[in-house]
Amino acid sequence: MRSADSTAAPLPDETTQTKKTKKAGRAARRKAETAIDSAGADHGRSRQPLTAARARRLIGVSKAVAPLLAPYALALAGVARARWDAYRAARLGVDPTQLSAYAGPGGALHARLSRVAEALGELESGTHAQPTEAARRFVADTRPRLVDLSVAVRAAEQMPTARRRTAYRAIGGELDRIEIDLLTHLGIIT
């Protein structure tokens, strides 16, 4: 005796549904392939191999267009350079005209040293606050230390990268302590 399940023929509705689904899938795949082919056909001109005639045509066009676009390209390059210099100067906290003085690996530390030296001069002259005896003593003790740190930055510029980073970190830490003391004498930090 045969089992009814194993010999049962598929129902006509199931067969037609499967055939319709497969047919729709093939149609969708063909449609997608045609869309890809037509999209490639739009850009087909740029993908053609470079021939001698095409190279001559491109050179001729560039000879005609380059003189027209060159002034705009130069102006754009100048604006981009000015913005980049202004960005770097703002990061260092200096005027863009002074940027060349603070170039190189130790430029940021040199800029910090010069700003601290300016602030010490203002503290000593009493521009922002009334100088006390402790403030005068701090300025007198700190100025030689700033000179030593400046020499250390210049010496570290000649070191290998790993040692230079270590030296810069130590110099930066010392500058942090000096800046905190300076702010305390200015009355900003209590």
Side-chain angles (χ1 to χ4, degrees), residues 128-163:
H128 293 290
Q130 191 66 8
T132 61
E133 186 57 36
R136 287 190 193 103
R137 228 179 344 204
F138 170 73
V139 170
D141 292 341
T142 305
R143 280 216 170 114
R145 186 70 185 136
L146 289 180
V147 171
D148 293 342
L149 290 174
S150 179
V151 170
V153 170
R154 276 191 237 107
E157 287 176 350
Q158 305 303 318
M159 293 180 183
T161 305
R163 288 180 59 199

Side-chain angles (χ1 to χ4, degrees), residues 24 48 68 99 145 150 153 180:
Q48 291 177 354
L68 299 173
L99 192 59
R145 186 70 185 136
S150 179
V153 170
I180 288 171

Side-chain angles (χ1 to χ4, degrees), residues 1 5 7 47-48 53 57 75 97 102 108 111 118-119 140 155 169 180:
M1 241 178 142
D5 293 336
T7 60
R47 293 184 185 185
Q48 291 177 354
R57 193 174 323 124
T97 59
Y102 303 112
E118 289 173 12
R169 210 170 305 126
I180 288 171

Side-chain angles (χ1 to χ4, degrees), residues 48-71:
Q48 291 177 354
L50 188 64
T51 61
R54 186 166 178 180
R56 279 193 298 272
R57 193 174 323 124
L58 289 174
I59 290 172
V61 168
S62 66
K63 282 182 182 179
V65 172
L68 299 173
L69 297 179

